[in-house]
Amino acid sequence: MVAVIVGSFLLGFGINGFLVPHHLIDGGVIGIALILHYFFGFQTGLSMLVLSVPIFFYAWCYERPFFYSSVHGLLLTSLFMDWLNPLKKVFSLSILTSSLIGGVIIGMGIGLMLRYETSSGGTDMLAKIISKSSSLDIALAIILIDTLIISAAVFTLGVEIFLFSCVTIVIIGLTTSLLKVRH
């Protein structure tokens, strides 16, 4: 439970403190939730929760132990995302510095949760399922899924945001890979 709380807090902190001020996106469900936040003002955490329903339904049907261990992560991450929203006005860093620091913090949160067989849901859960059923490393699965999501946003967010979001995603994947213990 400590890993879920700390990991969820790190995700909310990294996203709101470093990604949101520059309109950077993460990939996957969080990335889609961020796009909805930037363009329509939707709450990021609530959007993430709603968007994760199909993945959680799949996990309920085929990966029930992972579903049970991840539902807490989804709920807490959604809560921390919306609760830590005021952090978007706290740090004044360059876009490169924000993408690097945000990537490390978010990767630490994801890696910590995955180390203890839980996640925040979304693409973490999807990547875990893909990794478990194939020889693909979980960090590579996260990078591939996330890159697909932000590629769809390149035309609406611009090339600079896309490139720095790619940097963030690679840093998240590498940090996750370093923290995740293989069994």
Side-chain angles (χ1 to χ4, degrees), residues 29 32 47-48 58 82 86 113 115 120 143 147 157 160-161:
V29 174
I32 296 168
S47 296
M48 183 185 122
Y58 176 86
D82 289 341
M113 286 194 275
R115 176 183 279 187
S120 63
I143 290 170
T147 301
L157 296 173
E160 180 184 35
I161 300 299

Side-chain angles (χ1 to χ4, degrees), residues 19 45 49 61 63 78 87 104 130 139 148 155 168:
L19 272 57
L49 185 66
C61 294
E63 296 284 336
S78 296
L87 287 176
V104 168
I130 292 169
L148 285 173
F155 299 108
T168 303

Side-chain angles (χ1 to χ4, degrees), residues 84-144:
L84 295 173
N85 187 34
L87 287 176
K88 66 185 177 186
K89 298 176 183 171
V90 172
F91 303 107
S92 295
L93 302 171
S94 72
I95 191 169
L96 176 61
T97 304
S98 289
S99 68
L100 295 173
I101 293 172
V104 168
I105 292 170
I106 295 164
M108 287 170 45
I110 292 169
L112 179 64
M113 286 194 275
L114 290 174
R115 176 183 279 187
Y116 291 97
E117 297 296 320
T118 187
S119 83
S120 63
T123 50
D124 304 345
M125 181 178 285
L126 188 58
K128 175 80 172 181
I129 292 167
I130 292 169
S131 176
K132 188 175 178 181
S133 64
S134 70
S135 62
L136 192 63
D137 181 70
I138 192 162
L140 184 58
I142 289 171
I143 290 170
L144 291 174

Side-chain angles (χ1 to χ4, degrees), residues 14-179:
I15 287 169
N16 285 301
F18 302 98
L19 272 57
V20 172
H22 296 286
H23 287 99
L24 296 172
I25 62 170
D26 187 2
V29 174
I30 294 173
I32 296 168
L34 284 169
I35 291 168
L36 292 172
H37 173 72
Y38 298 148
F39 288 105
F40 302 110
F42 295 163
Q43 290 180 301
T44 310
L46 182 60
S47 296
M48 183 185 122
L49 185 66
V50 171
L51 292 168
S52 293
V53 169
I55 297 169
F56 268 85
F57 180 74
Y58 176 86
W60 170 262
C61 294
Y62 300 105
E63 296 284 336
R64 199 147 309 172
F66 199 65
F67 168 85
Y68 287 126
S69 66
S70 298
V71 72
H72 298 96
L74 172 65
L75 295 173
L76 281 173
T77 300
S78 296
L79 176 72
F80 278 123
M81 288 262 216
D82 289 341
W83 184 58
L84 295 173
N85 187 34
L87 287 176
K88 66 185 177 186
K89 298 176 183 171
V90 172
F91 303 107
S92 295
L93 302 171
S94 72
I95 191 169
L96 176 61
T97 304
S98 289
S99 68
L100 295 173
I101 293 172
V104 168
I105 292 170
I106 295 164
M108 287 170 45
I110 292 169
L112 179 64
M113 286 194 275
L114 290 174
R115 176 183 279 187
Y116 291 97
E117 297 296 320
T118 187
S119 83
S120 63
T123 50
D124 304 345
M125 181 178 285
L126 188 58
K128 175 80 172 181
I129 292 167
I130 292 169
S131 176
K132 188 175 178 181
S133 64
S134 70
S135 62
L136 192 63
D137 181 70
I138 192 162
L140 184 58
I142 289 171
I143 290 170
L144 291 174
I145 293 167
D146 291 351
T147 301
L148 285 173
I149 299 297
I150 67 163
S151 293
V154 70
F155 299 108
T156 56
L157 296 173
V159 175
E160 180 184 35
I161 300 299
F162 169 76
L163 293 174
F164 283 108
S165 294
C166 286
V167 169
T168 303
I169 288 169
V170 169
I171 298 299
I172 290 169
L174 293 173
T175 306
T176 299
S177 185
L178 290 173
L179 288 176

